[in-house]
Amino acid sequence: GGSLQRCIAEVTNTPWNERVTFVFDASGAAVRKALHVSPLMDMKGTWQLEAPDPLSHPSLKLVVRVQHPEYGPFFHADLIGVRSSSAPGCRNEEAGWGVLLRYGFLPHRIAMWIYWQALLLLWKGLPLYSPPEPEVKAAAALGARHPCNGVDGKPFVWRRAPHWPWNAGPGSGCPVL
Protein backbone atom coordinates (compact mmCIF):
# COMPACT_ATOMS: atom_id res chain seq x y z
CA GLY A 1 0.00 0.00 0.00
CA GLY A 2 1.23 3.37 -1.04
CA SER A 3 -0.03 6.79 -0.21
CA LEU A 4 -2.03 9.23 -2.29
CA GLN A 5 0.37 11.23 -4.45
CA ARG A 6 -1.64 12.82 -7.28
CA CYS A 7 -5.24 13.92 -7.71
CA ILE A 8 -7.30 14.87 -10.73
CA ALA A 9 -9.28 18.09 -10.36
CA GLU A 10 -12.20 19.00 -12.59
CA VAL A 11 -13.49 22.55 -12.18
CA THR A 12 -16.69 23.68 -13.89
CA ASN A 13 -18.37 27.02 -14.37
CA THR A 14 -21.95 25.95 -14.99
CA PRO A 15 -23.31 29.30 -16.28
CA TRP A 16 -20.71 29.38 -19.09
CA ASN A 17 -20.73 25.64 -19.80
CA GLU A 18 -16.96 25.18 -19.47
CA ARG A 19 -14.72 22.94 -17.45
CA VAL A 20 -11.03 22.45 -16.90
CA THR A 21 -9.24 19.31 -15.71
CA PHE A 22 -5.71 18.97 -14.40
CA VAL A 23 -3.53 16.83 -12.16
CA PHE A 24 -2.13 18.19 -8.90
CA ASP A 25 0.14 17.02 -6.09
CA ALA A 26 -2.10 15.71 -3.27
CA SER A 27 0.12 17.13 -0.50
CA GLY A 28 -0.50 20.64 -1.85
CA ALA A 29 -0.14 22.55 -5.08
CA ALA A 30 -0.40 26.12 -6.31
CA VAL A 31 -2.15 26.23 -9.68
CA ARG A 32 -2.62 29.47 -11.61
CA LYS A 33 -6.33 30.15 -12.03
CA ALA A 34 -7.29 29.02 -15.52
CA LEU A 35 -11.08 29.19 -15.56
CA HIS A 36 -13.56 32.00 -14.91
CA VAL A 37 -15.62 30.29 -12.21
CA SER A 38 -17.48 33.18 -10.61
CA PRO A 39 -18.55 36.65 -11.77
CA LEU A 40 -17.39 37.86 -8.33
CA MET A 41 -13.72 36.89 -8.92
CA ASP A 42 -11.24 37.99 -11.56
CA MET A 43 -8.63 35.75 -13.23
CA LYS A 44 -5.63 37.01 -11.21
CA GLY A 45 -5.79 34.43 -8.42
CA THR A 46 -3.91 31.22 -7.80
CA TRP A 47 -5.71 28.08 -6.66
CA GLN A 48 -4.12 26.42 -3.64
CA LEU A 49 -5.24 22.77 -3.63
CA GLU A 50 -4.68 20.05 -1.04
CA ALA A 51 -6.15 16.56 -0.67
CA PRO A 52 -4.80 14.74 2.41
CA ASP A 53 -4.41 10.98 2.02
CA PRO A 54 -7.77 9.37 2.96
CA LEU A 55 -5.94 6.30 4.33
CA SER A 56 -4.29 8.42 7.03
CA HIS A 57 -7.38 10.53 7.86
CA PRO A 58 -10.86 9.49 9.00
CA SER A 59 -12.50 11.43 6.16
CA LEU A 60 -12.10 12.29 2.50
CA LYS A 61 -11.08 15.95 2.29
CA LEU A 62 -10.32 18.55 -0.38
CA VAL A 63 -9.11 22.04 0.53
CA VAL A 64 -9.37 24.85 -2.03
CA ARG A 65 -8.09 28.37 -1.44
CA VAL A 66 -7.61 31.30 -3.80
CA GLN A 67 -4.59 33.50 -3.21
CA HIS A 68 -5.02 36.88 -4.92
CA PRO A 69 -2.03 39.15 -5.72
CA GLU A 70 -3.86 42.29 -4.51
CA TYR A 71 -6.26 40.99 -1.85
CA GLY A 72 -4.26 38.10 -0.35
CA PRO A 73 -6.26 35.08 0.84
CA PHE A 74 -9.49 35.65 -1.06
CA PHE A 75 -11.47 32.40 -0.87
CA HIS A 76 -11.43 29.21 1.20
CA ALA A 77 -13.57 26.09 0.86
CA ASP A 78 -13.29 22.63 2.38
CA LEU A 79 -15.10 19.58 1.08
CA ILE A 80 -15.19 16.87 3.71
CA GLY A 81 -16.79 13.48 3.12
CA VAL A 82 -17.43 11.31 6.18
CA ARG A 83 -18.65 7.73 6.06
CA SER A 84 -21.92 7.35 7.94
CA SER A 85 -21.61 5.07 10.94
CA SER A 86 -25.40 4.87 11.34
CA ALA A 87 -25.91 3.26 7.93
CA PRO A 88 -22.57 1.89 6.72
CA GLY A 89 -22.67 0.70 3.14
CA CYS A 90 -26.35 1.58 2.89
CA ARG A 91 -27.62 2.80 -0.46
CA ASN A 92 -29.39 6.15 -0.50
CA GLU A 93 -32.74 4.50 -1.26
CA GLU A 94 -32.46 2.41 1.92
CA ALA A 95 -31.16 5.06 4.30
CA GLY A 96 -34.55 6.15 5.63
CA TRP A 97 -36.64 9.29 6.02
CA GLY A 98 -34.26 10.94 8.47
CA VAL A 99 -31.42 10.88 5.97
CA LEU A 100 -33.73 12.11 3.21
CA LEU A 101 -34.94 15.03 5.33
CA ARG A 102 -31.41 15.91 6.42
CA TYR A 103 -29.65 15.57 3.05
CA GLY A 104 -32.43 15.66 0.45
CA PHE A 105 -32.05 18.44 -2.10
CA LEU A 106 -28.76 19.42 -0.47
CA PRO A 107 -27.20 20.58 -3.77
CA HIS A 108 -30.22 22.83 -4.33
CA ARG A 109 -30.02 24.23 -0.81
CA ILE A 110 -26.29 24.90 -1.21
CA ALA A 111 -26.89 26.63 -4.56
CA MET A 112 -29.53 28.86 -2.97
CA TRP A 113 -27.12 29.69 -0.13
CA ILE A 114 -24.35 30.55 -2.64
CA TYR A 115 -26.67 32.85 -4.61
CA TRP A 116 -27.87 34.48 -1.38
CA GLN A 117 -24.26 35.17 -0.36
CA ALA A 118 -23.59 36.58 -3.86
CA LEU A 119 -26.53 38.96 -3.48
CA LEU A 120 -25.17 40.14 -0.14
CA LEU A 121 -21.73 40.76 -1.69
CA LEU A 122 -23.29 42.68 -4.59
CA TRP A 123 -25.32 44.73 -2.09
CA LYS A 124 -22.02 45.63 -0.38
CA GLY A 125 -20.63 46.90 -3.71
CA LEU A 126 -18.44 44.04 -4.90
CA PRO A 127 -17.79 44.45 -8.66
CA LEU A 128 -18.86 41.93 -11.29
CA TYR A 129 -16.28 40.41 -13.65
CA SER A 130 -17.42 39.16 -17.07
CA PRO A 131 -16.00 35.99 -18.58
CA PRO A 132 -12.66 36.61 -20.26
CA GLU A 133 -12.28 36.79 -24.02
CA PRO A 134 -11.00 33.69 -25.88
CA GLU A 135 -7.55 35.26 -26.15
CA VAL A 136 -7.35 35.64 -22.36
CA LYS A 137 -8.42 32.01 -21.92
CA ALA A 138 -5.73 30.90 -24.36
CA ALA A 139 -3.12 32.98 -22.50
CA ALA A 140 -4.22 31.46 -19.19
CA ALA A 141 -3.87 27.99 -20.72
CA LEU A 142 -0.36 28.76 -22.00
CA GLY A 143 0.75 30.54 -18.84
CA ALA A 144 -0.55 28.00 -16.36
CA ARG A 145 2.02 25.79 -14.72
CA HIS A 146 -0.27 22.81 -14.29
CA PRO A 147 1.21 19.33 -14.28
CA CYS A 148 0.61 17.60 -17.62
CA ASN A 149 -1.82 14.73 -17.88
CA GLY A 150 -0.55 11.38 -19.14
CA VAL A 151 -2.97 11.06 -22.05
CA ASP A 152 -2.00 13.88 -24.39
CA GLY A 153 0.64 15.85 -22.46
CA LYS A 154 -1.52 19.00 -22.25
CA PRO A 155 -1.68 20.94 -18.97
CA PHE A 156 -5.47 20.96 -18.93
CA VAL A 157 -8.43 20.63 -21.27
CA TRP A 158 -11.26 23.06 -22.08
CA ARG A 159 -14.43 21.22 -23.08
CA ARG A 160 -18.18 21.51 -22.95
CA ALA A 161 -20.09 19.51 -20.40
CA PRO A 162 -21.35 16.29 -22.04
CA HIS A 163 -24.59 15.70 -20.12
CA TRP A 164 -27.79 17.37 -19.00
CA PRO A 165 -28.49 19.75 -17.29
CA TRP A 166 -25.34 21.59 -18.38
CA ASN A 167 -25.82 21.13 -22.10
CA ALA A 168 -29.62 21.16 -22.36
CA GLY A 169 -30.94 22.81 -25.45
CA PRO A 170 -32.59 22.17 -28.80
CA GLY A 171 -31.30 19.00 -30.42
CA SER A 172 -29.60 17.73 -27.27
CA GLY A 173 -32.32 15.19 -26.48
CA CYS A 174 -32.52 16.71 -23.01
CA PRO A 175 -35.44 18.56 -21.46
CA VAL A 176 -35.18 22.34 -21.49
CA LEU A 177 -36.43 23.94 -18.28
Side-chain angles (χ1 to χ4, degrees), residues 51-88:
D53 191 340
L55 295 177
S56 59
H57 291 82
S59 61
L60 181 63
K61 183 175 181 178
L62 173 65
V63 179
V64 179
R65 295 180 184 90
V66 176
Q67 182 71 27
H68 196 277
E70 296 170 37
Y71 308 121
F74 189 72
F75 176 83
H76 182 159
D78 289 346
L79 172 67
I80 301 171
V82 180
R83 185 181 301 270
S84 172
S85 59
S86 63

Side-chain angles (χ1 to χ4, degrees), residues 126-144:
L126 194 71
L128 286 176
Y129 297 95
S130 14
E133 298 298 322
E135 301 81 33
V136 175
K137 289 181 187 179
L142 290 174

Side-chain angles (χ1 to χ4, degrees), residues 13 15-16 33 35-45 47 66 68 70-76 111-132:
N13 60 5
W16 298 282
K33 188 175 176 192
L35 183 68
H36 180 70
V37 179
S38 166
L40 302 175
M41 293 185 198
D42 61 22
M43 293 288 291
K44 296 177 185 175
W47 291 327
V66 176
H68 196 277
E70 296 170 37
Y71 308 121
F74 189 72
F75 176 83
H76 182 159
M112 293 298 293
W113 182 78
I114 289 170
Y115 287 117
W116 173 250
Q117 293 299 315
L119 284 173
L120 292 177
L121 290 170
L122 291 172
W123 179 266
K124 292 179 180 183
L126 194 71
L128 286 176
Y129 297 95
S130 14

